[in-house]
Amino acid sequence: MLDRMRQATSGWMAKLLLGLLVVSFGIWGVANQFSGYGRGTLASVGDEEVTAVQFDRALRQRMQQFSQQMNQVMTMEQARNIGLPQQVLSQLVSEAALDDQASQYNLGVSDDKLAQEIASDPTFQGVGGRFDRQRFRTLLANAGLREEDYIADMRERMVRRQIASAIAGDVSAPKPMLDAFYRYQNEARTISYVTVDTSAIEAVGEPDDATLQAFFEDNQSQFRAPEYRSLGIIALEPSAIADPASISEEDVRKEYDSQSQRFSTPERRRVLQLRLNDPEDAKKAADEISSGKTLEEVASERNLTAVDLGLKSKAEIVDQSVADAAFTAEEGATVPVLDARLGPAIIKVVNVEAGSTQPFSAVEPELRKEMADRQSSNEVLSLYDQIEDERAGGATLQEVAQKLDLPYQKIDAVAADGTGPDGNEVSVPGGRDLIADAFQSDVGLENDPIHVGTNTFYFYDVTETTPARDRTLDEVKPEVVAAWQADQRATRIRDRANALFDRLKSGTPLSEIASEIGNDVETAEGVTRTASQQPDSPLSPNAVAQAFAGPQNHVANAEGKDPQNRILLHVDSVTVPAYFEEAAGATQLRDSLGEAIAGDLLQAYNAHLINERSISVNQAIYGQIVGESQQ
């Protein structure tokens, strides 16, 4: 897991994006919203402060987000290893610098504007798109936020937006830049090419002993036996512990009764509704209905149209009075609803679709399994505590398994890539995450369990380590022979392709070269710089890059999609489209370039704000929060 997170945050592009994120978080705000939670100062930025609690909660939330993405609990050590605490602190310092500048500008937001902003957030809107105060309070409570803190943070973000709008609110990319980027992205080429593969060379035979020995010695590290680790594992999996047969029929029936709505399909009715704004006219229409007129006749005489509410259950009809009348009337009946909440109406029940209920016998297995799974989840948590207690008392994992009567699985040998000594994949509970953690541990160390899903835990011990070693030729002779043959094929193909490419550069037609090696000339039309990203692309990324390395009639010798093959190519034609505002993709390009320029401006402005302010960080508090010892 840690390797995947390191890979995700490595590279210049990732670092650039992280830098831009710090700036954008500082201006637009993020979901941590923890202003005003504590008084202990972790950092000061001008006259603004970043509190210890502010930082701690922001860091914990970012760690939780990573945990959800990786489907495994992120530890503080892992967070430190990918630089997460520094990123969060940088974000909060950026916010503080903007808040300090806003104070100097005397910027603010009126209560009316703030209320309007919160009310317009779709997250807090209920039925009809209107602000729902109860929903607002519930969502904040679920997120562990106080209303006053959320409002204070929202006010700060709106102030930051004022600064952002002033700096880069109306930035757009200049037309020459748009034109250049558009041409670069959409330039298309027609490419003729021939593949130089094993058909173009003599077959590779078997090496003699001396040749094989020399090749083995030159490439001995390629055949080195990796380090192996032996593991002992206790798997706490609800599915393995669950015992549906242990759930009594009486309990299952109680569960069935308590969830009766879940197994029932409500009756639904298709209803036509004619709304009448005038109460007196509504009474008159009701009398006409009583006298035998149809709904359609009443509507036609008033130049109105009855609205089809569709096939709905009673709960789905918004107006309760209409719902009550519709589900009381007979099919085909037309009835007045003069006391409807949304105004008097005449309704007609067009058809009735009867409800149904699944019998107990049909859903009993499903319910029984669900109840067993819930019960086993509770048992898992109880066993988890017992295992931790036993390990705290000094028991080995195998001793814990014996005492608690739990299955104990031994993995005799597994390499870091998940394979065993025979080269085949080893089935390890907890999968690659457990293997990766095991190779960061050692014999005799107590390890945190691997947490998967909601209530699945894998406890493990490293019981033995087998160091990596050099194998003898006799141990890996078939693999060495295959590697030598593959190397020879690649070398011969490369040499043949180089010789053919020299002739291609000298003017020999591609068709003549293709005929000589027994392959066809193929053509790829409309090739763009991103063509190799398509799964069905016939050209490798290197071939596409080489094809765009010169003008029309350019020739190149590139790697094939199979790494041992080569591609000889010729650029037949080049099409460079002109940029215009209505062109396909032009709007997206214009917006993305505008956003990039705005991001650069905001990043530079934020750096300026930070550089001109006195910034101090309490390293003792920082180290305490992130678990770094202060020597």
Side-chain angles (χ1 to χ4, degrees), residues 108-120 154 158 162:
V109 176
S110 69
D111 291 343
D112 289 344
K113 181 65 176 176
L114 179 61
Q116 182 181 352
E117 181 79 8
I118 294 174
S120 64
M154 190 70 184
M158 291 179 68
Q162 294 181 45

Side-chain angles (χ1 to χ4, degrees), residues 219-237:
N219 299 275
Q220 194 164 21
S221 61
Q222 180 180 340
F223 307 102
R224 185 176 172 82
E227 177 183 337
Y228 291 102
R229 299 210 165 188
S230 301
L231 308 175
I233 301 172
I234 294 178
L236 285 185
E237 300 171 318

Side-chain angles (χ1 to χ4, degrees), residues 403-417:
K403 183 172 183 178
L404 300 180
D405 193 24
L406 294 172
Y408 179 77
Q409 182 173 349
K410 293 181 179 180
I411 304 296
D412 292 330
V414 62
D417 64 358

